[in-house]
Amino acid sequence: MTAYSPQQTAAISLVSPMLPFRAEILSVQPEAPLVSTYWMRFLDPELRTSYQFKPGQFNMLSIPGMGEAAISISSDSNDHQRVGHTVRFVGNVTNAISRLKAGDVIGVRGPFGTSWPLEDHHGKDIFIAAGGIGLPPLRPILYQVMAQRNNFGRVVVIYGARTPDDLQFTREYKAWEEAGIELIITVDRGDEKWTGLVGVVPLMFYRLRMDPRKSVVYTCGPEIMIRFVIFEALARRITPDQIYVSMERNMRCGLGLCGHCQLGPYFVCKDGPVFTYEQLQPYFNVEDL
Ligand SMILES: Cc1cc2nc3c(=O)[nH]c(=O)nc-3n(C[C@H](O)[C@H](O)[C@H](O)COP(=O)(O)OP(=O)(O)OC[C@H]3O[C@@H](n4cnc5c(N)ncnc54)[C@H](O)[C@@H]3O)c2cc1C
Ligand code: FES
């Protein structure tokens, strides 16, 4: 592959944002049944150093002949050696990704979309509520918090999965806790070995003490979970502009051109995926938006 200078790379992205860059898969880390993290690096060495993303943004991953899927970046934005995407195998493209192994090449277009505004929330208590495949877009935040823990008040992660086997990133929980992140892990259904919490994420959220004057909420996961987390946050008098939600819609272009991802007046690819509830409120409870 041609090696482009950072300036050329930026120019190519501007001219042809529909063209994917090629990245080599370095390793595949199984996380849960039908979920794996793909660690990759761009073939172009200059792109490796010039590529930057913010926590919450996503890439379009592509496989020739199969198509593209929007996948959040789940790795540390300060790690310029590799980029991680955590994929749940649900359909055409993601099932094709499930067949890739180390050494294979994948197309990457991005990064796209808005990010979690962590830098605006220094001094605040951060409450993160995630369900299932909603944790990967939030994991980059945890790397940032660990790197600058003193900039924040309490950092609480409530993470729920269907069963203990479905919990992702389990090998990292100890490091998160050692860095001063409060972890509340819950499952919908335990098994014979499970001694932890059982119950849905909004229920665990309901049990928390929080000071609405200095708290912000970041949430991502199934839409039903998001709705109840918002309900509980509002009940604690956290204002809609302090509740941040990452939304999923079908993606095609990722550039605000095709209209596939429309949500009310917004394009999720360009105006989101991270929105405040203040932005979404008028459209959130409307069917088929
Ligand atoms: C901003 C954004 C970030 C995303 N981040 C991630 C991520 O980090 N990891 C990840 O695995 N996925 C993520 N997704 C979801 C992913 O883009 C979709 O699941 C995508 O449709 C998968 O493509 P596919 O071709 O494999 O499946 P498709 O062929 O498009 O879909 C196959 C079947 O799966 C169903 N389906 C599609 N999407 C979902 C879904 N989200 N949940 C349940 N069923 C679904 C469809 O209804 C269809 O029946 C994200 C989506 C958005 C918009
Ligand atoms: S995916 Fe085309 S407008 Fe958003």
Side-chain angles (χ1 to χ4, degrees), residues 229-243:
V229 167
I230 291 171
F231 179 84
E232 294 298 345
L234 293 173
R236 302 304 179 79
R237 289 180 287 115
I238 295 179
T239 52
D241 62 330
Q242 296 301 298
I243 302 171

Side-chain angles (χ1 to χ4, degrees), residues 69-72 86-88 90-94 133 248-249 251:
I71 303 292
S72 305
T86 303
V87 182
R88 184 157 65 109
V90 293
N92 287 341
V93 177
T94 49
I133 198 73
E248 273 197 18
R249 283 296 179 272
M251 296 279 174

Side-chain angles (χ1 to χ4, degrees), residues 30-265:
E31 304 287 357
L34 301 180
V35 180
S36 289
T37 297
Y38 290 78
W39 293 101
M40 53 190 79
R41 69 171 177 189
F42 293 103
L43 294 188
D44 178 348
E46 302 221 25
L47 183 57
R48 272 177 226 159
T49 44
S50 62
Y51 180 86
Q52 290 182 355
F53 72 92
K54 290 187 170 172
Q57 289 192 297
F58 67 95
N59 281 317
M60 297 298 290
L61 299 188
S62 59
I63 300 207
M66 298 306 297
E68 289 187 305
I71 303 292
S72 305
I73 308 165
S74 63
S75 55
D76 182 355
S77 50
N78 290 320
D79 181 352
H80 297 288
Q81 300 306 312
R82 57 182 196 165
V83 184
H85 298 86
T86 303
V87 182
R88 184 157 65 109
F89 312 129
V90 293
N92 287 341
V93 177
T94 49
N95 279 323
I97 292 174
S98 75
R99 294 189 283 275
L100 297 181
K101 52 190 185 321
D104 288 339
V105 170
I106 189 167
V108 180
R109 225 160 41 84
F112 295 121
T114 54
S115 55
W116 306 104
L118 199 60
E119 61 277 10
D120 297 339
H121 294 148
H122 287 182
K124 297 260 189 182
D125 291 347
I126 316 275
F127 291 89
I128 294 172
I133 198 73
L135 187 57
L138 287 155
R139 184 169 68 162
I141 288 182
L142 302 182
Y143 291 116
Q144 290 212 349
V145 166
M146 286 194 285
Q148 30 167 326
R149 182 66 191 87
N150 292 337
N151 285 344
F152 306 98
R154 288 176 72 192
V155 178
V156 181
V157 175
I158 312 165
Y159 173 49
R162 274 185 222 152
T163 70
D165 282 347
D166 291 312
L167 290 168
Q168 295 158 24
F169 310 138
T170 45
R171 64 199 170 282
E172 295 180 30
Y173 296 171
K174 192 162 172 273
W176 296 349
E177 287 186 311
E178 283 172 359
I181 295 169
E182 296 171 50
L183 258 192
I184 300 170
I185 304 290
T186 182
V187 296
D188 294 346
R189 271 191 325 278
D191 58 21
E192 60 287 351
K193 287 183 290 197
W194 181 252
T195 54
L197 295 167
V198 176
V200 294
V201 167
L203 177 68
M204 304 305 153
F205 195 91
Y206 166 79
R207 292 180 182 168
L208 283 175
R209 283 170 184 272
M210 52 179 70
D211 178 349
R213 291 163 304 179
K214 59 174 189 141
S215 297
V216 293
V217 174
Y218 298 167
T219 184
C220 183
E223 226 158 283
I224 183 80
M225 182 211 83
I226 291 177
R227 281 169 198 266
F228 281 102
V229 167
I230 291 171
F231 179 84
E232 294 298 345
L234 293 173
R236 302 304 179 79
R237 289 180 287 115
I238 295 179
T239 52
D241 62 330
Q242 296 301 298
I243 302 171
Y244 293 82
V245 181
S246 182
M247 296 298 292
E248 273 197 18
R249 283 296 179 272
N250 274 337
M251 296 279 174
R252 288 288 183 279
C253 68
L255 295 162
L257 299 175
C258 72
H260 266 89
C261 64
Q262 199 154 1
L263 174 68

